Amino acid sequence: MTETIQKTLRDSAAMRWTALLLLALAMFCSYIFMDILSPIKDLMLSERGWDSTAFGTMQGSEVFLNVFVFFLIFAGIILDKMGVRFTAVLSGAVMLIGAIIKWYAVSEAFMGSGLEQWFTDNLNYIPVFDELGVSPFYEGMPASAKFAACGFMIFGCGCEMAGITVSRGIVKWFKGREMALAMGSEMALARLGVATCMIFSPFFAHLGGKVSVTRSVAFGVVLMCIALIMFIVYFFMDKKLDSQSGEAEEKDDPFKISDIGKILTSSGFWLVALLCVLYYSAIFPFQKYAVNMLQCNLTLTPPDADSFWASSSVTIVQYIIMLVVAAAGFASNFQKAKGKKYGLLGLSILALITYCYMGYMRQSAESIFAVFPLLAVLITPILGSYVDHKGKAASMLILGSLLLIGCHLTFAFVLPLFKGSAVGGIIIAYVTILVLGSSFSLVPASLWPSVPKLVDAKVIGSAYALIFWIQNIGLWLFPLLIGKVLDATNPDVTDPTQFNYTAPLVMLASLGVAALILGLILKVVDRKRGLGLEEPNIKE
């Protein structure tokens, strides 16, 4: 008698990767909005009167509700009780609401309005939070920055909820298969949003020859609409999977608050969580200041206003070349024929060199930093596949910490030595940025796929939420600290392209040192207790 084997969408590689693409595109859009003001920090000073403290306070506000109102913990509970698809759509809607508020806050319509006057007169003192020194506002903070911070808080709730939901969704679709490759690929593709933001935020701000920071944020709002659409499409795809497999979004063994205790008593969980907060705190806050840091440490001479390199069309050409770098490099990892593999790899490298040359000719700090995720897109599938088949996740975290330390110290002490050299400084900047981006790719390929090895399946959502909550403490604190340190170490500097970034960069490098120490401890604990972090995800 012939047995019929029922296959589901999850058993189809094409469907699995389509689901991943939907999630990755949504996160791609959210990454763009997350840093939409980062490449135009100098314009926020000249157009809206935001100094480094105001800018850093607003940027850090993204995670304020997640950390201090514990929204991210609630998000994890929602995810475990309501399931992936409901939480995905909810997170998309919340992100869009927050994005719209932030857009209005920096718009010309807000300036001179009664709402602006209200924010000027209020929120200068927040009881308890001010005493603790963690208030998202302060007396004298520009009204537009306060209101933008409110919108960014709401966006941050949705964004971090989306992050844990996407991680849980990938576990659902890829567990027992190429999970590390999937997680690494999702983050690599999503991080193209960083590069997209660095190129197009200044493009829209200067479009038509008239500076308008509102256009940049409006571009981000449109993308958040697209993100919500991606999550809605995923909703129906995920629902179809459950109808085929007989799985239910609510578990037979429902989530209980006491289950959090099981997570918190795991030493492996705490080591991974602390590694995460240290590593991400040295990357994401840096991204918000990286363009301004390059403006302060590179000798950049704007091209003639009537030349091709100063035109708006060069932005589109450069972005297309960037997509060629990413697409060819990413696809080369999946080619079995050596001719196609090395042909695509060669095309990717050639396009990367072309992109870097165009960035040099444009003399643009934004386009220079936009190479940040490109090498990561190329190598993340390699790293993810290696972890799936060979393991060594803890070892990769150690390597990532070493690269992180080296890059920040290079920015702090080596790059300033080349300030008088137009070519040398840009070469040092490109190499360091590419290496930093590649070190970042080690985290999604090794850390996130390790979480299911540390906790029970029914509390994976809450485990990711707790890690993200701990991570968010750093993402709130360090943008604020960088801004305060910048103002404190540059008291008489009024030109936003003349700041000395040595102190903030040394601070970020110290986070890498702490992450390195924890990585070494994690490897020892894994060996003694058999956590399985060094073991492959796919058992042969």
Side-chain angles (χ1 to χ4, degrees), residues 257-310:
I257 296 296
S258 60
D259 290 328
I260 293 179
K262 299 177 183 178
I263 302 171
L264 298 179
T265 54
S266 168
S267 60
F269 165 83
W270 275 109
L271 286 170
V272 168
L274 291 174
L275 261 170
C276 178
V277 68
L278 290 169
Y279 204 90
Y280 276 63
S281 294
I283 295 287
F284 282 124
F286 170 72
Q287 285 178 189
K288 301 180 186 303
Y289 290 87
V291 171
N292 187 232
M293 184 275 294
L294 292 176
Q295 291 171 338
C296 296
N297 285 294
L298 295 176
T299 301
L300 299 173
T301 305
D304 293 336
D306 57 350
S307 71
F308 168 72
W309 302 109

Side-chain angles (χ1 to χ4, degrees), residues 72-270:
L72 198 46
I73 306 300
F74 297 132
I77 296 173
I78 292 170
L79 176 57
D80 281 325
K81 290 187 72 69
M82 302 301 294
V84 173
R85 56 178 176 266
F86 172 86
T87 314
V89 175
L90 177 63
S91 65
V94 173
M95 284 194 291
L96 179 58
I97 292 170
I100 292 172
I101 293 174
K102 186 174 179 179
W103 163 76
Y104 181 70
V106 301
S107 70
E108 284 77 9
F110 179 75
M111 298 172 66
S113 66
L115 193 58
E116 181 187 35
Q117 188 61 48
W118 188 91
F119 273 93
T120 299
D121 298 336
N122 295 278
L123 300 181
N124 294 311
Y125 171 75
I126 310 296
V128 181
F129 290 112
D130 266 282
E131 277 72 20
L132 294 174
V134 298
S135 176
F137 314 109
Y138 61 87
E139 188 171 1
M141 185 176 181
S144 58
K146 288 182 186 176
F147 193 34
C150 293
F152 211 25
M153 288 179 202
I154 297 171
F155 168 83
C157 290
C159 186
E160 296 302 318
M161 184 193 293
I164 61 173
T165 303
V166 167
S167 296
R168 175 67 177 270
I170 294 174
V171 170
K172 179 176 182 178
W173 283 78
F174 285 87
K175 190 170 184 178
R177 297 177 173 87
E178 55 279 85
M179 186 164 64
L181 175 61
M183 285 193 172
S185 299
E186 180 269 322
M187 287 305 296
L189 293 173
R191 282 181 186 142
L192 278 178
V194 178
T196 303
C197 172
M198 295 301 160
I199 286 181
F200 282 105
S201 180
F203 170 79
F204 283 110
H206 293 94
L207 191 64
K210 181 182 178 182
V211 174
S212 172
V213 296
T214 310
R215 284 194 297 261
S216 296
V217 186
F219 165 64
V221 171
V222 171
L223 291 174
M224 295 321 304
C225 293
I226 296 174
L228 179 57
I229 293 171
M230 293 297 102
F231 280 137
I232 291 173
V233 175
Y234 174 83
F235 178 97
F236 291 103
M237 193 171 180
D238 190 81
K239 188 174 183 180
K240 177 67 174 178
L241 172 65
D242 282 356
S243 67
Q244 291 177 334
S245 64
E247 297 175 1
E249 285 283 273
E250 288 91 355
K251 312 293 186 301
D252 293 331
D253 185 10
F255 173 84
K256 300 184 293 293
I257 296 296
S258 60
D259 290 328
I260 293 179
K262 299 177 183 178
I263 302 171
L264 298 179
T265 54
S266 168
S267 60
F269 165 83
W270 275 109

Side-chain angles (χ1 to χ4, degrees), residues 43-66:
L43 296 181
M44 297 312 297
L45 174 61
S46 61
E47 300 297 312
R48 296 294 182 270
W50 296 11
D51 60 13
S52 293
T53 299
F55 183 82
T57 303
M58 191 286 302
Q59 294 283 37
S61 69
E62 177 196 357
V63 297
F64 180 82
L65 294 178
N66 289 325

Side-chain angles (χ1 to χ4, degrees), residues 290-356:
V291 171
N292 187 232
M293 184 275 294
L294 292 176
Q295 291 171 338
C296 296
N297 285 294
L298 295 176
T299 301
L300 299 173
T301 305
D304 293 336
D306 57 350
S307 71
F308 168 72
W309 302 109
S311 67
S312 59
S313 59
V314 71
T315 303
I316 308 299
V317 173
Q318 195 175 21
Y319 188 65
I320 291 173
I321 292 174
M322 177 198 294
L323 294 180
V324 172
V325 175
F330 188 79
S332 68
N333 292 284
F334 301 92
Q335 303 301 316
K336 295 183 179 180
K338 286 188 176 181
K340 290 184 178 180
K341 181 181 182 67
Y342 291 114
L344 286 170
L345 184 60
L347 175 61
S348 179
I349 293 173
L350 181 62
L352 177 60
I353 294 172
T354 304
Y355 176 90
C356 291

